[in-house]
C-alpha cells in the first residue's frame, strides 16, 4: 500500500530496513524509509547474503518530536528518491583495472 506525497504528487512507498552494525542500539536497528517514486521500487537481489545491502539516493532525515508512550522524545523521518544496489557491494564482481 502506498500514499501520495502532497508536494510532489509522487507515490510514497515504505521500505523497512535493518542496520547490520552489531554495535547499533537495539532500538536503532530497524527503521522505515519512505521512497517517493512514480512506480513501486524493486529491491536488488540479496546474492546469497543474509540481508540485502541497498543504497538510497536523495536521502533526507527530518527530526520531529514523538509523543508516543506519553513521553516526548526526538524521532526521525527518513525519505529517499530511489533505492538501488550499492556500488562494490559484497558479492558483486569488481570491475577489472
Amino acid at each position: 500500500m502506498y500514499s501520495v506525497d502532497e508536494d510532489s504528487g509522487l507515490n510514497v512507498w515504505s521500505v523497512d530496513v535493518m542496520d547490520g552494525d552489531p554495535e547499533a542500539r537495539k532500538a536503532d536497528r530497524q527503521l522505515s524509509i519512505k521512497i517517493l517514486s512514480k512506480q513501486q521500487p524493486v529491491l536488488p537481489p540479496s546474492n546469497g547474503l543474509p540481508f540485502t545491502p541497498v543504497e538510497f539516493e536523495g536521502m533526507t532525515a527530518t527530526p520531529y518530536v514523538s509523543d508516543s508512550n506519553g513521553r516526548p522524545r526526538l524521532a526521525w523521518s527518513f525519505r529517499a528518491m530511489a533505492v538501488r544496489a550499492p556500488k562494490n557491494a559484497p558479492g558483486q564482481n569488481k570491475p577489472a583495472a
Side-chain angles (χ1 to χ4, degrees), residues 68-91:
S68 62
N69 298 328
R71 183 175 180 203
R73 66 174 182 83
L74 178 63
W76 295 88
S77 172
F78 296 97
R79 286 186 165 211
M81 297 306 293
V83 59
R84 64 181 166 124
K87 296 175 184 168
N88 298 322

Side-chain angles (χ1 to χ4, degrees), residues 27-38:
D28 296 333
R29 286 187 195 149
Q30 187 171 349
L31 56 137
S32 186
I33 309 290
K34 297 199 180 341
I35 301 174
L36 280 63
S37 175
K38 288 181 183 179

Side-chain angles (χ1 to χ4, degrees), residues 44-45 47 49 52-58 83-95:
N47 294 331
L49 297 172
T52 305
V54 295
E55 225 173 62
F56 293 97
E57 296 179 18
V83 59
R84 64 181 166 124
K87 296 175 184 168
N88 298 322
Q92 288 183 342
N93 294 332
K94 294 187 178 172

Side-chain angles (χ1 to χ4, degrees), residues 1-90:
M1 186 78 174
Y2 64 89
S3 60
V4 176
D5 180 62
E6 293 178 11
D7 295 329
S8 68
L10 294 172
N11 296 332
V12 181
W13 306 89
S14 182
V15 177
D16 291 332
V17 298
M18 182 174 283
D19 187 341
D21 183 356
E23 295 183 20
R25 291 181 338 137
K26 185 176 181 179
D28 296 333
R29 286 187 195 149
Q30 187 171 349
L31 56 137
S32 186
I33 309 290
K34 297 199 180 341
I35 301 174
L36 280 63
S37 175
K38 288 181 183 179
Q39 297 179 344
Q40 182 176 4
V42 177
L43 297 177
S46 66
N47 294 331
L49 297 172
F51 57 89
T52 305
V54 295
E55 225 173 62
F56 293 97
E57 296 179 18
M59 177 81 105
T60 61
T62 304
Y64 66 96
V65 176
S66 172
D67 280 333
S68 62
N69 298 328
R71 183 175 180 203
R73 66 174 182 83
L74 178 63
W76 295 88
S77 172
F78 296 97
R79 286 186 165 211
M81 297 306 293
V83 59
R84 64 181 166 124
K87 296 175 184 168
N88 298 322

